Amino acid sequence: MSRAILALLCVITPALAQAQTGFDVFAVSIAEDGTQTYTLTLQILILMTALTLLPALVLAMTSFTRIIIVLAILRQAIGTAQTPSSQVLIGLALFLTMFIMTPVFERLFEDAINPYLADEIEIGEALERGAPALREFMLGQTREADLTLFSELGAKDPGDPPAAVPLSILVPAFVTSELKTAFQIGFLIFIPFLIIDLVVASVLMSMGMMMLSPLIISLPFKIMLFVLVDGWALIVGTLAASFYV
């Protein structure tokens, strides 16, 4: 038995030594100018880790938050509990986000992603080149009051130029501003449907039909109103235009 174990160790040990010296899985080489180059395995690991953060980045740094909240409020205002379904709303919000963010994405690919894929720049420089495109978009949609609030909470001088504001302060300020804007748009959407509900409820009460739910009667009228004014095109067009005002 001991001889078999010894023979197995004699076979495995050279293989392990060759595996250790054959290639480096995780290695960082530093050039003379101070730039760092990562091995392909480490780059793939960083990329896979970044993909796990992609949903959070889409929610926090794009137009998705405003769009999905407005669409959800619209469904609630019409009174259709699950129509359109959540999957349909999320799909519409994603494609509308891609449409709105196309100029930003094109700039990201031109300035950062394409040079990185062509091995012209390293990943650190690619991140530095890609940040200004998202920064300018978020600054254009962020209220100064929200930016000042998070700057003070983060012990950052609010008087600093916008380009000097770190993403750790800009991102929560942007999300807060998007929430405010989405609820403002949702409030304006809710008003005409609320008026229809009030009118229908008043008519039913005057007719003594208190046991009949006003929602059952008002739903067809709200759907008819939404279709007559071409509501989907109006909502989608308003959302897209709100990012470029």
Side-chain angles (χ1 to χ4, degrees), residues 40-55:
L40 181 60
T41 307
L42 187 57
Q43 293 179 15
I44 294 176
L45 178 62
I46 295 174
L47 179 60
M48 297 301 296
T49 304
L51 288 178
T52 61
L53 301 176
L54 185 60

Side-chain angles (χ1 to χ4, degrees), residues 107-108 111 126-137:
R107 183 177 171 185
L108 278 174
D111 296 344
L127 293 175
E128 293 179 0
R129 289 189 179 186
L134 286 173
R135 184 188 300 274
E136 291 180 8
F137 171 79

Side-chain angles (χ1 to χ4, degrees), residues 39-198:
T39 59
L40 181 60
T41 307
L42 187 57
Q43 293 179 15
I44 294 176
L45 178 62
I46 295 174
L47 179 60
M48 297 301 296
T49 304
L51 288 178
T52 61
L53 301 176
L54 185 60
L57 295 178
V58 171
L59 286 174
M61 303 178 69
T62 66
S63 58
F64 180 83
T65 301
R66 183 190 304 186
I67 296 171
I68 192 63
I69 290 177
V70 171
L71 294 179
I73 292 177
L74 171 64
R75 184 176 64 180
Q76 185 69 24
I78 295 177
T80 54
Q82 296 296 328
T83 305
S85 64
S86 298
Q87 292 84 351
V88 173
L89 293 184
I90 293 175
L92 176 60
L94 283 174
F95 279 100
L96 190 55
T97 299
M98 292 174 59
F99 172 77
I100 294 172
M101 300 293 295
T102 295
V104 180
F105 292 155
E106 289 179 349
R107 183 177 171 185
L108 278 174
F109 273 91
E110 181 179 355
D111 296 344
I113 298 179
N114 289 337
Y116 173 71
L117 294 178
D119 292 331
E120 297 177 359
I121 58 176
E122 301 299 331
I123 186 171
E125 186 178 354
L127 293 175
E128 293 179 0
R129 289 189 179 186
L134 286 173
R135 184 188 300 274
E136 291 180 8
F137 171 79
M138 289 189 291
L139 282 174
Q141 308 300 325
T142 305
R143 292 177 172 83
E144 293 184 4
D146 297 325
L147 196 58
T148 302
L149 171 64
F150 284 96
S151 296
E152 294 176 351
L153 292 176
K156 181 77 174 178
D157 186 6
D160 289 344
V165 178
L167 291 178
S168 60
I169 293 177
L170 179 57
V171 172
F174 169 74
V175 174
T176 304
S177 295
E178 287 294 282
L179 291 174
K180 290 181 181 179
T181 304
F183 276 96
Q184 289 175 354
I185 298 175
F187 171 76
L188 296 177
I189 293 174
F190 229 107
I191 291 177
F193 299 108
L194 180 60
I195 293 175
I196 294 178
D197 286 333
L198 292 175

